[in-house]
Amino acid sequence: RAARNGEDGVRGYAPAMGQIFLRRFQLVTQFRQAVDSGQIEVHYQPKVSLPHRQVVGAEALVRWSHPEYGRLDPDEFVPLVEATGLVDALTSFVMECALTKVRQWLDRGLRMSVAVNLSVRNLNDESFPDRVGEALLRHDIPPELLTFELTESSVMDDPDRSLPVLRRLHAMGVVLAVDDFGTGYSSLAYLRQLPVDEVKIDKSFVLGMGTDLGDMAVVRSIVELGHSLDLAVVAEGVEDDAARDQLVEMGCDVAQGYLISRPLSEERLETWLRARTRRGRGTRSETVLTL
Ligand code: C2E
Ligand code: MG
Ligand code: MG
Ligand code: MG
């Protein structure tokens, strides 16, 4: 009887699992071709300074328009791509798009930075900083207009390899940010040792702030910890005025979230920016403000 139950269980289970594995297999094998054929796109989510709400830059977030499965979010395919050698192609593609964007902005007098998410493989690749330096030179971009976002777990995977890479990027003048802060090791001692400039409070705490005093306390202490270490503090997942006002009161430096804007296609981002641009009097410089 036990054997029969097991069999039934397997029969109910197998097709669904088969489909999941098939889909994953397809995504991995199709990714390279997807990059080359334009199915992979970079969207941009604006970041604003607090309290003035000046647009200081945008985070590059990858999207895949799959011919069979439709719009895929990075949480589904980035981990698969990371598990293969293809993540170099992903990071290079996103960085190229992002630096092209910064160059366009500079050419029309906008000084805004772009943030690119890195994978553990990039951090463990000793040739990565050279490729970054080459790309910055080729696009003629000052290094401080490029930010790399890295998670604690990607740094801690192999610190002996990632720390030299981070130190070289930092020495080049590229801005380094710890993403999803508060979800990983998050020890003070460890943060002090990293050559980073910025912490990004994980959105789960920011989203919970309005209803959960514990989340509020976590956000407040990350702002204080960050500032005591001379780091800029960015909050992601800012969805409403109440959260923004709280963050201003806490002294958080930068906000990103649906309140300001969802991630936008390149075209929609340009429309969004144009509607908010103020030209500096008698200069070529422009600033973008969210009203
Ligand atoms: P992340 O770097 O922490 O990016 C923030 C995520 O929060 C994005 O999800 C963004 O759309 C979402 N978000 C922003 N504001 C709000 C808000 O107000 N409320 C809520 N609920 N969510 C908000 P997305 O675009 O799905 O990206 C998910 C993750 O995928 C990213 O998390 C990042 O870890 C990874 N990722 C995205 N693009 C790349 C890439 O080019 N390379 C690598 N290696 N990873 C990437
Ligand atoms: Mg990020
Ligand atoms: Mg994050
Ligand atoms: Mg994340």
Side-chain angles (χ1 to χ4, degrees):
R1 204 185 292 143
R4 221 180 61 205
N5 282 347
E7 233 176 63
D8 285 344
V10 167
R11 216 176 283 143
Y13 195 55
M17 284 309 280
Q19 274 165 26
I20 290 169
F21 285 120
L22 174 63
R23 177 162 162 147
R24 287 188 187 156
F25 176 76
Q26 287 176 320
L27 295 186
V28 168
T29 53
Q30 293 166 350
F31 181 75
R32 180 79 248 190
Q33 159 78 31
V35 173
D36 295 336
S37 66
Q39 292 169 26
I40 307 293
E41 242 184 61
V42 177
H43 285 205
Y44 297 89
Q45 186 176 35
K47 290 183 179 178
V48 301
S49 64
L50 294 176
H52 305 294
R53 300 186 225 174
Q54 178 163 348
V55 182
V56 290
E59 178 173 9
L61 294 160
V62 71
R63 301 288 181 259
W64 184 348
S65 302
H66 192 279
E68 191 179 338
Y69 300 126
R71 239 281 290 282
L72 302 179
D73 278 334
D75 284 330
E76 175 170 11
F77 67 87
V78 169
L80 298 176
V81 170
E82 280 177 336
T84 69
L86 296 168
V87 78
D88 284 337
L90 171 66
T91 304
S92 299
F93 176 77
V94 175
M95 185 166 66
E96 276 307 307
C97 295
L99 292 180
T100 303
K101 204 68 244 171
V102 174
R103 185 69 256 164
Q104 287 173 9
W105 289 333
L106 282 173
D107 287 345
R108 55 182 216 253
L110 278 179
R111 196 181 158 83
M112 301 199 307
S113 73
V114 76
V116 171
N117 292 282
L118 293 188
S119 295
V120 58
R121 269 190 124 91
N122 305 128
L123 295 178
N124 293 345
D125 173 1
E126 61 178 12
S127 70
F128 183 67
D130 288 331
R131 297 213 300 280
V132 174
E134 180 277 321
L136 288 169
L137 275 178
R138 186 160 37 79
H139 290 275
D140 190 21
I141 308 268
E144 65 272 17
L145 294 185
L146 176 63
T147 298
F148 284 126
E149 298 189 2
L150 29 116
T151 61
E152 298 163 86
S153 55
S154 68
V155 176
M156 296 318 283
D157 176 69
D158 189 351
D160 289 341
R161 293 176 74 182
S162 61
L163 283 175
V165 170
L166 290 181
R167 286 196 198 101
R168 281 192 53 209
L169 290 169
H170 196 250
M172 287 163 58
V174 170
V175 179
L176 299 179
V178 181
D179 205 351
D180 303 340
F181 192 77
T183 58
Y185 299 76
S186 305
S187 85
L188 178 81
Y190 138 89
L191 191 61
R192 268 190 56 205
Q193 282 162 25
L194 288 184
V196 295
D197 311 279
E198 191 178 294
V199 277
K200 275 189 100 168
I201 308 171
D202 188 71
K203 61 176 176 287
S204 61
F205 304 112
V206 179
L207 290 171
M209 220 173 27
T211 48
D212 187 319
L213 286 175
D215 285 340
M216 174 86 88
V218 169
V219 172
R220 190 181 293 280
S221 51
I222 295 175
V223 173
E224 280 163 15
L225 165 65
H227 286 165
S228 72
L229 294 174
D230 247 343
L231 305 173
V233 182
V234 181
E236 62 178 22
V238 182
E239 291 193 356
D240 51 42
D241 288 328
R244 194 220 24 237
D245 293 347
Q246 281 291 346
L247 291 162
V248 167
E249 184 262 317
M250 292 174 186
C252 182
D253 304 288
V254 173
Q256 175 182 349
Y258 296 167
L259 174 70
I260 297 123
S261 169
R262 295 201 169 239
L264 301 169
S265 67
E266 196 183 337
E267 193 188 333
R268 293 186 61 207
L269 173 77
E270 289 309 325
T271 308
W272 189 93
L273 287 173
R274 238 175 279 120
R276 291 164 180 79
T277 301
R278 302 283 172 276
R279 200 170 287 275
R281 228 181 294 163
T283 67
R284 267 188 76 242
S285 79
E286 298 184 345
T287 47
V288 183
L289 293 168
T290 62
L291 299 174

